[in-house]
Amino acid sequence: MQIIDRRLNQGNKSLENRQRFLRRAKAHVQRAVREATAGRDIPDILEGGEISIPAGGIDEPQFRPGAGGIRDEVMPGNRTFSEGDVIPRRDGEGGGANSAGDGGEATEDAFRFMLSREEFLDIFLDDLELPDLAKRKLKEVATEGVRRAGYSVSGSPASLAVTRTMRIAMSRRIALGRPAPHEMEALQEELAACEDEGRRAFLEAEIAALAAKMRRIPYIDPIDIRYRRFENRPKPMAQAVMFCLMDVSGSMSEHMKDLAKRFYMLLYIFLTRRYNHVEIVFIRHTDRAEEVDEQTFFYNPATGGTVVSSALEAMRRIIAERYRPQDWNIYAAQASDGDNFPSDNEVAARLLRDEILPVCQYFAYLEVGEAGRDPSARPDSTLWRLYERLRAEGQPLATRKVGARAEIYPVFRDLFQRREAERAGS
């Protein structure tokens, strides 16, 4: 068995080198998790699984004492190599960088390990966040950490408040008239220098009385002891609501609906795992919109024409009734194939520009297409052109296109990537 110390601040290693190594190792794992999700369905992501990272990426830098001076060594039996040659690894020894596989190409050592469901999701969602989340008027708090909350007469010895204890003890001694040590010292000095027998008898009696009083009034009494008291610290959490708007009209094929549902499933997992105080409102629409529960949103079929403004009007009404913009961070994610009644485009534009986007922190629009077609090669739909025009005006709106399952994860990460990470990488 080999024990490896993975503490952040190990005593015998450079702190900066260790922090750099931990950041590099974490980046390797995050990249491996992202690559592993490309070929998985949503249920597979929830199960975790095996991932692999290059073995060379987990080597930790450290200093080792080397041999002193110049040393020449002759290895017995060597007739092939000279000084400075690199000895290649034999074929089949671990499939290293210098060995060849069946196709004759060099391969690389890999370190494989299993991630549980919780570990996989934590790493997968680690660098995602809701953009521009602001702390507004809050009605819910989450308890996190502790804070000082005065003193108590009982507690752990580690929480002993020495200064407060000594202050209380001094107040008690003064109130009860306990003799001060310098009074006793003064009487003893006077007694040592006194030659009058009557005065000496008086001083001895006085010293005995003071000593008895000092014994009756202790220097520190159990009633003086105080302990520091701590209590849970309520930490305010930002409130947010996410509106999920999905087109379920007849123009949406089963493939398109599958792409939209996968996107919303991923969004649902992200929100419920990363945030404690985020409410999710599900709205689906054809030519009319309705607020539904999670089960109906993801699984119940529907058909009809397409009127996008019906979903936007439902969102506006719900915000007015339940989510005051002064109190809530409001987000929206819409998925559609881009079709809409031509006469409804201006109504949708007015609702977005005047009612929805002014109160939204972020609005993401996902346009889904048929399988086998490059999303960038598809002609722009009327809804896409409308949203692009609003985005060009500086509205908090993002637009993306997808046509295959494998594109869902990159697009999702692009929409909800942590903004600090983007600035650091630019």
Side-chain angles (χ1 to χ4, degrees):
M1 181 178 65
Q2 184 179 16
I3 299 176
I4 302 176
D5 186 354
R6 294 298 187 194
R7 292 176 297 178
L8 292 179
N9 301 326
Q10 188 180 355
N12 61 348
K13 294 188 178 181
S14 167
L15 175 60
E16 180 60 29
N17 284 342
R18 172 165 283 273
Q19 298 291 341
R20 189 181 297 112
F21 161 73
L22 292 175
R23 289 193 297 269
R24 186 175 70 248
K26 183 178 180 180
H28 278 298
V29 175
Q30 288 176 331
R31 182 162 51 250
V33 168
R34 287 196 294 269
E35 292 173 355
T37 58
R40 294 188 179 192
D41 292 337
I42 295 286
D44 296 331
I45 291 180
L46 296 177
E47 296 302 323
E50 182 183 86
I51 67 170
S52 62
I53 62 176
I58 60 174
D59 292 335
E60 184 173 357
Q62 54 184 312
F63 291 103
R64 297 185 179 89
I70 299 175
R71 302 177 60 188
D72 293 328
E73 296 184 4
V74 177
M75 306 301 295
N78 172 35
R79 299 182 179 180
T80 306
F81 303 104
S82 302
E83 182 179 353
D85 290 348
V86 177
I87 302 176
R89 181 176 293 165
R90 296 178 182 176
D91 293 344
E93 288 188 1
N98 292 322
S99 63
D102 295 337
E105 297 181 356
T107 58
E108 185 179 16
D109 287 343
F111 176 67
R112 296 181 177 273
F113 55 94
M114 296 294 296
L115 290 179
S116 68
R117 175 183 183 273
E118 299 297 321
E119 293 170 337
F120 197 94
L121 286 176
D122 286 341
I123 296 173
F124 180 71
L125 303 174
D126 181 62
D127 58 345
L128 303 180
E129 68 176 3
L130 289 175
D132 303 325
L133 186 65
K135 290 184 178 179
R136 303 181 186 276
K137 184 179 178 181
L138 309 176
K139 68 177 181 180
E140 296 188 30
V141 294
T143 301
E144 180 176 322
V146 294
R147 67 177 177 182
R148 291 285 300 276
Y151 300 90
S152 64
V153 297
S154 61
S156 169
S159 300
L160 178 65
V162 177
T163 303
R164 177 56 64 97
T165 298
M166 297 302 295
R167 186 183 302 166
I168 295 175
M170 180 181 293
S171 300
R172 179 185 52 80
R173 293 195 303 268
I174 293 174
L176 296 178
R178 186 181 192 272
H182 65 84
E183 296 179 11
M184 181 71 72
E185 293 174 359
L187 291 175
Q188 289 174 345
E189 291 177 359
E190 184 179 354
L191 177 62
C194 182
E195 298 179 355
D196 185 4
E197 291 296 330
R199 180 62 178 172
R200 287 180 63 86
F202 173 79
L203 292 174
E204 289 174 354
E206 186 71 15
I207 291 174
L210 290 179
K213 193 172 185 178
M214 291 180 70
R215 288 192 297 270
R216 291 195 305 270
I217 305 174
Y219 189 80
I220 295 181
D221 194 88
I223 65 173
D224 303 330
I225 299 177
R226 294 294 183 271
Y227 298 90
R228 290 185 295 272
R229 190 169 70 87
F230 300 91
E231 65 181 13
N232 292 328
R233 176 183 60 191
K235 180 180 179 181
M237 302 293 290
Q239 292 182 137
V241 56
M242 172 66 76
F243 286 86
C244 298
L245 317 175
M246 182 167 65
D247 182 2
V248 291
S249 62
S251 62
M252 291 277 289
S253 66
E254 288 302 318
H255 173 73
M256 294 178 180
K257 291 180 181 179
D258 178 67
L259 292 179
K261 290 177 181 178
R262 287 173 182 273
F263 174 80
Y264 284 123
M265 285 182 182
L266 204 55
L267 179 61
Y268 180 78
I269 294 170
F270 164 58
L271 293 175
T272 54
R273 280 195 61 87
R274 288 296 304 274
Y275 298 97
N276 295 326
H277 299 292
V278 174
E279 295 191 11
I280 305 176
V281 178
F282 296 103
I283 299 176
R284 65 177 194 170
H285 73 93
T286 54
D287 54 350
R288 63 184 183 87
E290 57 179 346
E291 181 182 0
V292 297
D293 57 19
E294 174 189 345
Q295 178 70 23
T296 304
F297 184 83
F298 283 110
Y299 302 109
N300 285 21
T303 186
T306 308
V307 178
V308 173
S309 64
S310 63
L312 300 176
E313 176 60 29
M315 177 179 172
R316 184 203 64 79
R317 185 183 68 255
I318 294 172
I319 291 175
E321 293 174 355
R322 303 193 326 240
Y323 303 103
R324 295 177 64 240
Q326 295 85 350
D327 300 341
W328 291 82
N329 293 275
I330 300 174
Y331 297 88
Q334 181 183 5
S336 172
D337 61 347
D339 287 343
N340 192 24
F341 281 120
S343 60
D344 186 58
N345 288 329
E346 288 305 317
V347 179
R350 179 183 57 80
L351 281 170
L352 282 169
R353 184 184 293 107
D354 301 335
E355 304 287 344
I356 303 297
L357 294 178
V359 300
C360 277
Q361 300 291 98
Y362 190 65
F363 192 107
Y365 171 66
L366 181 73
E367 186 163 300
V368 294
E370 291 292 351
R373 298 182 61 183
D374 184 3
S376 60
R378 295 200 311 263
D380 293 340
S381 65
T382 55
L383 205 58
W384 178 270
R385 290 195 296 269
L386 169 63
Y387 284 12
E388 283 292 289
R389 186 171 77 246
L390 293 174
R391 192 168 68 88
E393 295 174 3
Q395 300 289 352
L397 188 143
T399 57
R400 297 293 187 276
K401 292 181 179 181
V402 295
R405 292 179 179 179
E407 299 170 359
I408 293 293
Y409 304 107
V411 166
F412 178 81
R413 298 192 67 85
D414 188 28
L415 287 172
F416 295 99
Q417 186 76 18
R418 184 171 295 154
R419 294 310 184 257
E420 289 79 3
E422 288 183 355
R423 286 195 293 267
S426 60

Short mmCIF file of all heavy atoms in Angstrom, two decimals, residues 334-380:
data_model
loop_
_atom_site.label_atom_id
_atom_site.label_comp_id
_atom_site.label_asym_id
_atom_site.label_seq_id
_atom_site.Cartn_x
_atom_site.Cartn_y
_atom_site.Cartn_z
N GLN A 334 -35.81 29.46 -24.20
CA GLN A 334 -36.85 29.12 -25.16
C GLN A 334 -36.28 28.19 -26.22
O GLN A 334 -35.17 28.40 -26.72
CB GLN A 334 -37.40 30.38 -25.82
CG GLN A 334 -38.50 30.13 -26.84
CD GLN A 334 -38.97 31.40 -27.51
OE1 GLN A 334 -38.41 32.47 -27.29
NE2 GLN A 334 -39.99 31.29 -28.35
N ALA A 335 -37.04 27.16 -26.58
CA ALA A 335 -36.65 26.22 -27.63
C ALA A 335 -37.76 26.16 -28.66
O ALA A 335 -38.93 25.98 -28.31
CB ALA A 335 -36.38 24.83 -27.05
N SER A 336 -37.39 26.30 -29.94
CA SER A 336 -38.38 26.30 -31.01
C SER A 336 -37.68 25.93 -32.31
O SER A 336 -36.44 25.96 -32.41
CB SER A 336 -39.03 27.68 -31.13
OG SER A 336 -39.87 27.77 -32.27
N ASP A 337 -38.50 25.59 -33.33
CA ASP A 337 -37.94 25.33 -34.66
C ASP A 337 -37.85 26.60 -35.49
O ASP A 337 -37.40 26.56 -36.64
CB ASP A 337 -38.76 24.27 -35.38
CG ASP A 337 -40.20 24.72 -35.61
OD1 ASP A 337 -40.62 25.73 -34.98
OD2 ASP A 337 -40.92 24.07 -36.38
N GLY A 338 -38.28 27.72 -34.94
CA GLY A 338 -38.18 29.00 -35.64
C GLY A 338 -39.41 29.39 -36.40
O GLY A 338 -39.49 30.52 -36.90
N ASP A 339 -40.40 28.49 -36.50
CA ASP A 339 -41.63 28.82 -37.23
C ASP A 339 -42.55 29.67 -36.36
O ASP A 339 -42.62 29.47 -35.13
CB ASP A 339 -42.35 27.55 -37.65
CG ASP A 339 -41.64 26.84 -38.80
OD1 ASP A 339 -40.81 27.50 -39.45
OD2 ASP A 339 -41.89 25.64 -39.03
N ASN A 340 -43.28 30.57 -37.01
CA ASN A 340 -44.25 31.40 -36.32
C ASN A 340 -45.18 32.02 -37.36
O ASN A 340 -44.79 32.21 -38.52
CB ASN A 340 -43.54 32.51 -35.53
CG ASN A 340 -44.48 33.22 -34.56
OD1 ASN A 340 -45.49 32.66 -34.15
ND2 ASN A 340 -44.15 34.45 -34.21
N PHE A 341 -46.41 32.31 -36.96
CA PHE A 341 -47.30 33.00 -37.87
C PHE A 341 -46.72 34.37 -38.19
O PHE A 341 -46.31 35.11 -37.28
CB PHE A 341 -48.70 33.16 -37.25
CG PHE A 341 -49.52 31.92 -37.33
CD1 PHE A 341 -50.00 31.30 -36.18
CD2 PHE A 341 -49.83 31.36 -38.56
CE1 PHE A 341 -50.76 30.15 -36.25
CE2 PHE A 341 -50.59 30.20 -38.64
CZ PHE A 341 -51.05 29.59 -37.48
N PRO A 342 -46.65 34.75 -39.49
CA PRO A 342 -46.04 36.04 -39.84
C PRO A 342 -46.66 37.22 -39.11
O PRO A 342 -45.96 38.15 -38.69
CB PRO A 342 -46.26 36.13 -41.35
CG PRO A 342 -46.39 34.70 -41.80
CD PRO A 342 -47.06 33.98 -40.66
N SER A 343 -47.96 37.18 -38.90
CA SER A 343 -48.62 38.30 -38.23
C SER A 343 -48.28 38.38 -36.75
O SER A 343 -48.55 39.40 -36.11
CB SER A 343 -50.14 38.17 -38.40
OG SER A 343 -50.59 36.94 -37.83
N ASP A 344 -47.69 37.33 -36.21
CA ASP A 344 -47.38 37.30 -34.77
C ASP A 344 -45.98 37.81 -34.47
O ASP A 344 -45.65 38.05 -33.31
CB ASP A 344 -47.54 35.87 -34.24
CG ASP A 344 -47.38 35.78 -32.73
OD1 ASP A 344 -48.13 36.45 -32.01
OD2 ASP A 344 -46.47 35.05 -32.28
N ASN A 345 -45.14 37.97 -35.49
CA ASN A 345 -43.75 38.35 -35.24
C ASN A 345 -43.64 39.71 -34.56
O ASN A 345 -42.86 39.88 -33.62
CB ASN A 345 -42.96 38.34 -36.55
CG ASN A 345 -42.71 36.94 -37.06
OD1 ASN A 345 -42.61 35.99 -36.28
ND2 ASN A 345 -42.64 36.79 -38.37
N GLU A 346 -44.40 40.68 -35.02
CA GLU A 346 -44.31 42.01 -34.43
C GLU A 346 -44.87 42.02 -33.01
O GLU A 346 -44.38 42.74 -32.14
CB GLU A 346 -45.04 43.03 -35.30
CG GLU A 346 -44.32 43.34 -36.60
CD GLU A 346 -42.88 43.79 -36.35
OE1 GLU A 346 -42.65 44.59 -35.41
OE2 GLU A 346 -41.98 43.33 -37.08
N VAL A 347 -45.91 41.21 -32.77
CA VAL A 347 -46.44 41.11 -31.40
C VAL A 347 -45.39 40.51 -30.47
O VAL A 347 -45.17 40.99 -29.35
CB VAL A 347 -47.72 40.26 -31.40
CG1 VAL A 347 -48.27 40.13 -29.97
CG2 VAL A 347 -48.77 40.85 -32.33
N ALA A 348 -44.71 39.45 -30.94
CA ALA A 348 -43.66 38.84 -30.13
C ALA A 348 -42.51 39.81 -29.90
O ALA A 348 -41.96 39.89 -28.79
CB ALA A 348 -43.15 37.57 -30.82
N ALA A 349 -42.15 40.57 -30.95
CA ALA A 349 -41.06 41.55 -30.80
C ALA A 349 -41.42 42.62 -29.77
O ALA A 349 -40.57 43.02 -28.96
CB ALA A 349 -40.75 42.18 -32.15
N ARG A 350 -42.66 43.09 -29.81
CA ARG A 350 -43.07 44.12 -28.84
C ARG A 350 -43.04 43.58 -27.41
O ARG A 350 -42.58 44.26 -26.48
CB ARG A 350 -44.47 44.62 -29.19
CG ARG A 350 -45.00 45.68 -28.24
CD ARG A 350 -46.41 46.08 -28.60
NE ARG A 350 -47.30 44.92 -28.60
CZ ARG A 350 -47.82 44.39 -27.48
NH1 ARG A 350 -47.51 44.89 -26.29
NH2 ARG A 350 -48.61 43.34 -27.55
N LEU A 351 -43.56 42.35 -27.24
CA LEU A 351 -43.53 41.77 -25.90
C LEU A 351 -42.11 41.60 -25.38
O LEU A 351 -41.82 41.88 -24.20
CB LEU A 351 -44.25 40.42 -25.92
CG LEU A 351 -45.78 40.45 -25.89
CD1 LEU A 351 -46.34 39.06 -26.15
CD2 LEU A 351 -46.29 40.98 -24.55
N LEU A 352 -41.24 41.12 -26.24
CA LEU A 352 -39.85 40.93 -25.81
C LEU A 352 -39.18 42.26 -25.48
O LEU A 352 -38.54 42.41 -24.44
CB LEU A 352 -39.07 40.20 -26.90
CG LEU A 352 -39.28 38.69 -27.00
CD1 LEU A 352 -38.68 38.16 -28.29
CD2 LEU A 352 -38.66 37.98 -25.80
N ARG A 353 -39.30 43.21 -26.38
CA ARG A 353 -38.58 44.48 -26.22
C ARG A 353 -39.12 45.31 -25.06
O ARG A 353 -38.34 45.93 -24.31
CB ARG A 353 -38.64 45.28 -27.51
CG ARG A 353 -37.83 46.58 -27.48
CD ARG A 353 -37.99 47.39 -28.73
NE ARG A 353 -37.40 46.74 -29.89
CZ ARG A 353 -38.12 46.18 -30.87
NH1 ARG A 353 -39.45 46.18 -30.82
NH2 ARG A 353 -37.53 45.61 -31.90
N ASP A 354 -40.44 45.33 -24.88
CA ASP A 354 -41.04 46.23 -23.91
C ASP A 354 -41.38 45.58 -22.58
O ASP A 354 -41.41 46.27 -21.55
CB ASP A 354 -42.33 46.85 -24.49
CG ASP A 354 -42.06 47.62 -25.78
OD1 ASP A 354 -40.92 48.08 -25.96
OD2 ASP A 354 -43.01 47.76 -26.59
N GLU A 355 -41.64 44.27 -22.57
CA GLU A 355 -42.13 43.63 -21.35
C GLU A 355 -41.18 42.58 -20.77
O GLU A 355 -40.96 42.56 -19.56
CB GLU A 355 -43.49 42.94 -21.64
CG GLU A 355 -44.56 43.86 -22.20
CD GLU A 355 -45.11 44.82 -21.16
OE1 GLU A 355 -44.88 44.57 -19.96
OE2 GLU A 355 -45.77 45.79 -21.54
N ILE A 356 -40.60 41.74 -21.61
CA ILE A 356 -39.84 40.58 -21.11
C ILE A 356 -38.37 40.92 -20.87
O ILE A 356 -37.86 40.79 -19.75
CB ILE A 356 -39.96 39.39 -22.09
CG1 ILE A 356 -41.43 39.02 -22.33
CG2 ILE A 356 -39.16 38.20 -21.58
CD1 ILE A 356 -42.15 38.55 -21.10
N LEU A 357 -37.67 41.35 -21.91
CA LEU A 357 -36.22 41.55 -21.80
C LEU A 357 -35.83 42.64 -20.80
O LEU A 357 -34.78 42.52 -20.14
CB LEU A 357 -35.62 41.85 -23.17
CG LEU A 357 -35.70 40.68 -24.17
CD1 LEU A 357 -35.12 41.09 -25.51
CD2 LEU A 357 -34.99 39.45 -23.63
N PRO A 358 -36.60 43.73 -20.61
CA PRO A 358 -36.21 44.72 -19.61
C PRO A 358 -36.16 44.18 -18.18
O PRO A 358 -35.46 44.76 -17.34
CB PRO A 358 -37.28 45.81 -19.75
CG PRO A 358 -37.75 45.70 -21.16
CD PRO A 358 -37.71 44.23 -21.46
N VAL A 359 -36.88 43.10 -17.88
CA VAL A 359 -36.88 42.56 -16.52
C VAL A 359 -36.06 41.28 -16.42
O VAL A 359 -35.97 40.69 -15.33
CB VAL A 359 -38.32 42.31 -16.03
CG1 VAL A 359 -39.12 43.60 -16.02
CG2 VAL A 359 -39.02 41.25 -16.89
N CYS A 360 -35.48 40.81 -17.52
CA CYS A 360 -34.72 39.55 -17.54
C CYS A 360 -33.23 39.82 -17.32
O CYS A 360 -32.68 40.77 -17.87
CB CYS A 360 -34.91 38.82 -18.87
SG CYS A 360 -36.41 37.82 -18.94
N GLN A 361 -32.62 38.94 -16.54
CA GLN A 361 -31.16 38.95 -16.45
C GLN A 361 -30.54 38.32 -17.70
O GLN A 361 -29.45 38.71 -18.12
CB GLN A 361 -30.71 38.16 -15.22
CG GLN A 361 -31.22 38.67 -13.90
CD GLN A 361 -30.62 40.00 -13.52
OE1 GLN A 361 -31.23 41.05 -13.74
NE2 GLN A 361 -29.43 39.97 -12.99
N TYR A 362 -31.23 37.33 -18.27
CA TYR A 362 -30.66 36.56 -19.37
C TYR A 362 -31.79 35.82 -20.06
O TYR A 362 -32.66 35.25 -19.41
CB TYR A 362 -29.62 35.59 -18.82
CG TYR A 362 -28.76 34.88 -19.84
CD1 TYR A 362 -27.88 35.59 -20.66
CD2 TYR A 362 -28.81 33.49 -19.97
CE1 TYR A 362 -27.08 34.93 -21.57
CE2 TYR A 362 -28.00 32.83 -20.89
CZ TYR A 362 -27.14 33.56 -21.68
OH TYR A 362 -26.35 32.91 -22.58
N PHE A 363 -31.77 35.81 -21.40
CA PHE A 363 -32.78 35.11 -22.19
C PHE A 363 -32.03 34.30 -23.24
O PHE A 363 -31.30 34.86 -24.07
CB PHE A 363 -33.73 36.10 -22.87
CG PHE A 363 -34.95 35.47 -23.47
CD1 PHE A 363 -36.19 35.64 -22.87
CD2 PHE A 363 -34.89 34.71 -24.63
CE1 PHE A 363 -37.34 35.07 -23.41
CE2 PHE A 363 -36.01 34.14 -25.18
CZ PHE A 363 -37.24 34.32 -24.57
N ALA A 364 -32.18 32.96 -23.20
CA ALA A 364 -31.48 32.07 -24.14
C ALA A 364 -32.49 31.47 -25.10
O ALA A 364 -33.52 30.93 -24.67
CB ALA A 364 -30.74 30.97 -23.37
N TYR A 365 -32.18 31.58 -26.39
CA TYR A 365 -33.06 31.01 -27.42
C TYR A 365 -32.31 29.90 -28.15
O TYR A 365 -31.21 30.12 -28.66
CB TYR A 365 -33.48 32.08 -28.42
CG TYR A 365 -34.21 31.52 -29.62
CD1 TYR A 365 -35.46 30.93 -29.48
CD2 TYR A 365 -33.63 31.56 -30.89
CE1 TYR A 365 -36.13 30.41 -30.58
CE2 TYR A 365 -34.29 31.04 -31.99
CZ TYR A 365 -35.55 30.46 -31.83
OH TYR A 365 -36.19 29.92 -32.92
N LEU A 366 -32.91 28.70 -28.17
CA LEU A 366 -32.31 27.54 -28.84
C LEU A 366 -33.21 27.16 -30.01
O LEU A 366 -34.39 26.83 -29.81
CB LEU A 366 -32.19 26.37 -27.86
CG LEU A 366 -31.56 25.09 -28.42
CD1 LEU A 366 -30.06 25.30 -28.61
CD2 LEU A 366 -31.82 23.91 -27.50
N GLU A 367 -32.65 27.21 -31.22
CA GLU A 367 -33.41 26.81 -32.40
C GLU A 367 -32.97 25.41 -32.81
O GLU A 367 -31.79 25.16 -33.07
CB GLU A 367 -33.20 27.80 -33.54
CG GLU A 367 -34.08 27.52 -34.74
CD GLU A 367 -34.19 28.71 -35.68
OE1 GLU A 367 -34.66 29.77 -35.22
OE2 GLU A 367 -33.78 28.58 -36.85
N VAL A 368 -33.93 24.48 -32.89
CA VAL A 368 -33.64 23.09 -33.20
C VAL A 368 -33.98 22.82 -34.66
O VAL A 368 -34.91 23.40 -35.22
CB VAL A 368 -34.43 22.15 -32.27
CG1 VAL A 368 -33.96 22.29 -30.83
CG2 VAL A 368 -35.93 22.42 -32.35
N GLY A 369 -33.21 21.92 -35.27
CA GLY A 369 -33.42 21.58 -36.68
C GLY A 369 -33.44 20.08 -36.88
O GLY A 369 -33.25 19.29 -35.95
N GLU A 370 -33.64 19.68 -38.12
CA GLU A 370 -33.70 18.27 -38.46
C GLU A 370 -32.33 17.63 -38.40
O GLU A 370 -31.30 18.31 -38.55
CB GLU A 370 -34.29 18.09 -39.86
CG GLU A 370 -35.77 18.43 -39.96
CD GLU A 370 -36.65 17.45 -39.18
OE1 GLU A 370 -36.13 16.42 -38.71
OE2 GLU A 370 -37.85 17.73 -39.03
N ALA A 371 -32.30 16.32 -38.21
CA ALA A 371 -31.04 15.59 -38.12
C ALA A 371 -30.36 15.56 -39.48
O ALA A 371 -31.01 15.53 -40.53
CB ALA A 371 -31.29 14.16 -37.65
N GLY A 372 -29.03 15.56 -39.47
CA GLY A 372 -28.25 15.45 -40.69
C GLY A 372 -28.04 16.77 -41.42
O GLY A 372 -27.39 16.80 -42.46
N ARG A 373 -28.59 17.86 -40.90
CA ARG A 373 -28.41 19.16 -41.54
C ARG A 373 -27.56 20.05 -40.66
O ARG A 373 -27.77 20.15 -39.45
CB ARG A 373 -29.77 19.82 -41.80
CG ARG A 373 -30.69 19.05 -42.73
CD ARG A 373 -31.98 19.79 -42.96
NE ARG A 373 -31.74 21.09 -43.59
CZ ARG A 373 -32.72 21.97 -43.84
NH1 ARG A 373 -33.97 21.68 -43.50
NH2 ARG A 373 -32.44 23.12 -44.41
N ASP A 374 -26.58 20.68 -41.27
CA ASP A 374 -25.70 21.58 -40.54
C ASP A 374 -26.51 22.79 -40.09
O ASP A 374 -27.10 23.49 -40.93
CB ASP A 374 -24.54 22.01 -41.44
CG ASP A 374 -23.53 22.87 -40.69
OD1 ASP A 374 -23.72 23.07 -39.47
OD2 ASP A 374 -22.59 23.35 -41.34
N PRO A 375 -26.57 23.07 -38.77
CA PRO A 375 -27.37 24.20 -38.31
C PRO A 375 -26.95 25.52 -38.94
O PRO A 375 -27.78 26.37 -39.24
CB PRO A 375 -27.15 24.19 -36.79
CG PRO A 375 -26.75 22.79 -36.47
CD PRO A 375 -25.99 22.31 -37.67
N SER A 376 -25.63 25.70 -39.12
CA SER A 376 -25.16 26.96 -39.69
C SER A 376 -25.52 27.10 -41.17
O SER A 376 -25.55 28.21 -41.70
CB SER A 376 -23.65 27.07 -39.51
OG SER A 376 -22.98 26.00 -40.17
N ALA A 377 -25.80 25.95 -41.85
CA ALA A 377 -26.13 26.00 -43.27
C ALA A 377 -27.62 26.20 -43.51
O ALA A 377 -28.03 26.48 -44.64
CB ALA A 377 -25.66 24.72 -43.96
N ARG A 378 -28.44 26.06 -42.46
CA ARG A 378 -29.88 26.25 -42.63
C ARG A 378 -30.19 27.72 -42.84
O ARG A 378 -29.55 28.60 -42.23
CB ARG A 378 -30.64 25.76 -41.39
CG ARG A 378 -30.54 24.28 -41.14
CD ARG A 378 -31.68 23.81 -40.25
NE ARG A 378 -31.83 24.63 -39.06
CZ ARG A 378 -31.32 24.33 -37.88
NH1 ARG A 378 -30.59 23.23 -37.74
NH2 ARG A 378 -31.52 25.11 -36.85
N PRO A 379 -31.18 28.04 -43.67
CA PRO A 379 -31.59 29.43 -43.81
C PRO A 379 -32.18 29.93 -42.50
O PRO A 379 -32.84 29.19 -41.77
CB PRO A 379 -32.63 29.40 -44.94
CG PRO A 379 -33.12 27.99 -44.96
CD PRO A 379 -31.95 27.14 -44.56
N ASP A 380 -31.94 31.19 -42.21
CA ASP A 380 -32.44 31.76 -40.97
C ASP A 380 -33.96 31.84 -40.99
O ASP A 380 -34.57 32.30 -41.97
CB ASP A 380 -31.86 33.15 -40.75
CG ASP A 380 -30.36 33.11 -40.51
OD1 ASP A 380 -29.87 32.03 -40.13
OD2 ASP A 380 -29.70 34.14 -40.71
#
